[in-house]
């Protein structure tokens, strides 16, 4: 059984939709207010599934905020605030102090105050966030035929960082080698431990893009939101930074596989009619790379069919 | 250590408050939109702490919705929608089917559609809801000197239902006696297993009350939101239904103790300048009882100091 079996049942049963502009199936749900739209999203995280051991308490605090705010950015909306519910097994006040400082620090950076929550006893650290934002023009997933497919920032580092953790866990590298790798690839580790939600980018792109989502599961999965597409690896590689290239050579991993299967990057994946416009509005904020086109049928990279990957919860 | 040690640290650290009208410390957080106010609340529940074994999957689904929507009602606001994140240990599709049907059923009754969520693997059933609503006039906790203190509906049944479960768990009553009690006191069991959020009551009371909160922890604790007060037990007993009186006699439990320490009733506790107005607007919707006054100092029942009780998470 996997999460889709569960989601199917729930989606079928949750049929009451009064007043909802957009429900389950996008980065956020959307409500029409008087002259604006309220966008809302939720993300729940458990110690054993969601937080790599390498994360400090401060970074765990940042992460629950970032994961939620990233979905607001993916609607090209302005964050308004968020609530966070927390469950603790053996609460360590020092840990809670650091974690809540991390939450506050990053919420300030995003202009997204934390305004409430709930505290409970649980079997493991559990954080559940709900963020909400406002926009005149919510940007959904999708994309129109002929649109260029683009991405903000860089892609690939999170895959490499998780590979380092995996090799350490499986005993393929020892502690010394692990620490050397961490020193050798600081930006790779940083993208895993302190990813950023692309809030300014989302707001800036609002009037330019035809669709938008964030990279949470990895491009090969998230690209499905666009519909049918052709990806050109030569262009995609422009978004892959030098350290990822070095890493792929060092460990003999296909670079395109890395770029396509790097999840929780929290970069924005969007489509535009005119790439130059996207470049103009993001100037000085972030880099942007176009690497494909929305087409009538097929899902290909350099003409080859793409295979679905990305993380799925299984029981 | 209890939850207040944790809440104190978090509240101190979460200092960024840009644009927030009301943050931590009321039933909901409040944001000013163009001409309205957005109210938002979150409530997280774990199988082992929050769901009495007697609850069916359908009732568990109802409960997470009710607990959240009740906080919207406590702001005298109109529910707009909610999101629910879920964590499952060993997911049972039949259970999930029933639970999500319960969620949908009650969300329709409240006019509060469920618009999104998140599905995860966890160590026990975990449900985290966030509800949001809209109002022109958010009603906060508090109350003005001389105001009458009132409550909607009845009080006491949840205490009795939990007592029955406790007696069964501790072996004070056997299975047969337990089943007989459940048959003997159906309304008592129903208030525990299917409590209702007072949505219509909250909206109707909006222009009449000076403060409002819901009864989640029990009157003796929730009354602290009012400030200082005098309670008259003879008046309070008017809100205690006949079956609770019978139960108190049968098990020799002080009736006022029951009324003061019955939590998760989800009735509204509010203050008014003019009780007749409250009665008028609630006519045909629900009963209302006045049972005390906001005073300058002291917290008393029939002149005796009230002691703080109510559930606190401890580790």
């Amino acid at each position: 059984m996997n999460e889709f079996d569960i989601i199917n049942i729930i989606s079928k049963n949750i049929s009451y939709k009064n007043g909802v502009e957009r429900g389950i199936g996008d980065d956020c749900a959307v409500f029409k207010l008087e002259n604006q739209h309220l966008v809302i999203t939720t993300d729940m995280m458990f110690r054993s599934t969601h937080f790599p051991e390498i994360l400090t308490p401060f970074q765990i605090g940042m992460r629950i905020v970032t994961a939620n705010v990233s979905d607001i950015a993916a609607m090209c909306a302005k964050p308004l605030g968020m609530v966070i519910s927390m469950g603790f097994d053996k609460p360590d006040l020092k840990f809670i102090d650091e974690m809540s400082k991390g939450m506050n620090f990053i919420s300030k950076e995003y202009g997204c105050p934390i305004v409430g929550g709930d505290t409970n006893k649980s079997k493991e650290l559990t954080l559940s966030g709900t963020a909400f934002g406002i926009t005149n023009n919510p940007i959904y997933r999708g994309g129109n035929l002929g649109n260029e497919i683009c991405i903000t920032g860089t892609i690939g580092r999170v895959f490499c960082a998780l590979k380092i953790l995996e090799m350490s866990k499986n005993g393929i590298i020892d502690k010394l080698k692990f620490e050397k790798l961490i020193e050798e690839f600081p930006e790779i580790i940083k993208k895993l431990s302190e990813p950023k939600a692309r809030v300014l980018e989302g707001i800036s792109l609002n009037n330019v893009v035809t669709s938008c989502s964030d990279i949470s599961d990895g491009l090969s999965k998230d690209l499905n939101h666009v519909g049918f597409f052709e990806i050109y690896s030569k262009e995609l590689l422009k978004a892959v930074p030098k350290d990822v290239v070095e890493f792929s050579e060092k460990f003999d991993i296909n670079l395109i596989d890395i770029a396509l299967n790097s999840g929780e990057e929290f970069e924005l994946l969007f489509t535009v009619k005119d790439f130059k416009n996207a470049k103009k509005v993001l100037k000085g904020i972030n880099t942007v790379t176009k690497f494909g086109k929305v087409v009538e049928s097929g899902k290909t990279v350099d003409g080859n069919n793409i295979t679905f990957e990305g993380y799925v919860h299984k029981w």
Side-chain angles (χ1 to χ4, degrees), chain A residues 13-34:
Chain A
N13 287 336
I14 304 290
S15 57
Y16 176 65
K17 295 287 172 217
N18 191 36
V20 184
E21 212 172 334
R22 183 72 59 115
I24 297 162
D26 215 295
D27 295 283
C28 285
V30 182
F31 285 84
K32 180 94 182 70
L33 301 178
E34 281 171 332

Side-chain angles (χ1 to χ4, degrees), chain A residues 201-216:
Chain A
E201 289 85 338
I203 296 169
S204 307
L205 287 169
N206 188 293
N207 289 312
V208 175
V209 299
T210 53
S211 81
C212 190
S213 69
D214 68 339
I215 310 261
S216 51

